[in-house]
Amino acid sequence: MIERVDNRQPATSGVKTFFHNVTLMVTGGIGVAIALSLVGMWHKGGKFFNDLGAMVSLTQPAPKADISAIVISQVRGASDLTTAIFVMEAVVPTQQDWTLGSWTVGSSKLLYVAYGEVRAGVDLSKLQRQDVVVQGDSIVIRLPPPKILDRKIDVNRSRVYNYEKGVMGLAPDISYSLQSLAQQEAIGKISTAACNNGLLEMANEKAELTVTRLVSFSGYSKITIETQPPAKDACS
């Protein structure tokens, strides 16, 4: 009796084999795709990683500086350099009459030589943001008007030239009050002379020159400095 052996596999086994082969094909395809991608990245070198880093990295805009504020800060620091000085000696006579009733019986006289100094300038600390206009490589700065900053009598260089006590030397000594009066008169005369000799205009010119030199180091190709006339009461 001859026994037959059935070598056929069950149907379920064939199905399993089919899906197994498909899985191998899919896995192999993914592997091939990954391999090709790696090869592409290798050919591109670091550019791929640079591009990848650029996509995921955070970007920060370049900081912006307030040019007007910087210029104002620089110009304000130069305020001490914008003064013009006028010096002058003034001879001032003063007199005090002595009376008896309606009669003048004598006079005390003092002749004073005053050495005075008047400083004028542009107060750059008053510069405001709207006074500075920047357009590209051009800048326009409008300066405040010039003014008298200080006026004084140098008492160490001034002197009493002559003093007459009056009334045959019997009148009270009033040299101190006459000297004070002479100093007040002298500073008024010297201030008027300073203004008449263009001290405020000189202050404008010096301020314009100083600010132009200062701003020229900032790299602007066109610099315009606008000055203003002094106020009507600047010399009063």
Side-chain angles (χ1 to χ4, degrees):
M1 182 176 180
I2 301 174
E3 296 182 357
R4 294 182 179 180
V5 178
D6 190 356
N7 293 326
R8 291 179 300 176
Q9 297 178 351
T12 56
S13 176
V15 172
K16 291 181 179 180
T17 302
F18 172 76
F19 280 107
H20 177 69
N21 293 335
V22 170
T23 302
L24 290 177
M25 292 173 63
V26 172
T27 305
I30 294 174
V32 170
I34 293 174
L36 291 175
S37 298
L38 292 175
V39 171
M41 288 188 290
W42 179 78
H43 280 294
K44 290 184 178 180
K47 184 177 184 301
F48 173 82
F49 296 100
N50 291 338
D51 295 340
L52 181 61
M55 288 190 295
V56 300
S57 63
L58 296 176
T59 59
Q60 183 177 4
K64 297 180 179 180
D66 190 341
I67 303 299
S68 298
I70 295 174
V71 172
I72 290 174
S73 178
Q74 291 177 337
V75 172
R76 284 177 177 174
S79 58
D80 292 339
L81 302 177
T82 62
T83 54
I85 301 176
F86 179 86
V87 294
M88 174 182 169
E89 279 191 347
V91 179
V92 182
T94 56
Q95 178 176 320
Q96 174 65 59
D97 293 332
W98 301 104
T99 61
L100 182 62
S102 59
W103 299 91
T104 299
V105 296
S107 300
S108 296
K109 299 178 181 180
L110 183 141
L111 190 62
Y112 189 73
V113 180
Y115 185 92
E117 179 179 294
V118 181
R119 291 194 311 120
V122 175
D123 188 358
L124 297 178
S125 65
K126 303 297 184 182
L127 197 68
Q128 301 298 319
R129 187 180 298 271
Q130 61 268 21
D131 297 325
V132 179
V133 179
V134 178
Q135 293 182 343
D137 59 351
S138 300
I139 184 170
V140 178
I141 301 177
R142 187 170 186 261
L143 301 181
K147 64 179 182 179
I148 300 295
L149 301 177
D150 186 30
R151 62 189 92 194
K152 62 183 179 180
I153 295 295
D154 188 344
V155 296
N156 294 323
R157 303 177 68 174
S158 303
R159 64 191 186 279
V160 175
Y161 184 78
N162 184 50
Y163 174 58
E164 297 177 5
K165 199 170 185 180
V167 195
M168 298 180 357
L170 300 176
D173 186 1
I174 58 171
S175 59
Y176 180 78
S177 60
L178 289 178
Q179 181 175 331
S180 297
L181 178 61
Q183 290 173 345
Q184 294 176 13
E185 292 291 331
I187 198 63
K189 287 185 176 182
I190 294 173
S191 297
T192 300
C195 290
N196 291 339
N197 282 272
L199 180 64
L200 294 173
E201 289 74 16
M202 290 171 57
N204 255 348
E205 293 175 2
K206 189 169 184 180
E208 181 180 357
L209 180 62
T210 300
V211 175
T212 300
R213 289 178 176 176
L214 181 65
V215 178
S216 64
F217 293 104
S218 301
Y220 295 101
S221 60
K222 184 179 180 181
I223 301 172
T224 303
I225 307 298
E226 297 180 352
T227 59
Q228 300 186 56
K232 294 181 180 179
D233 59 347
C235 286
S236 60

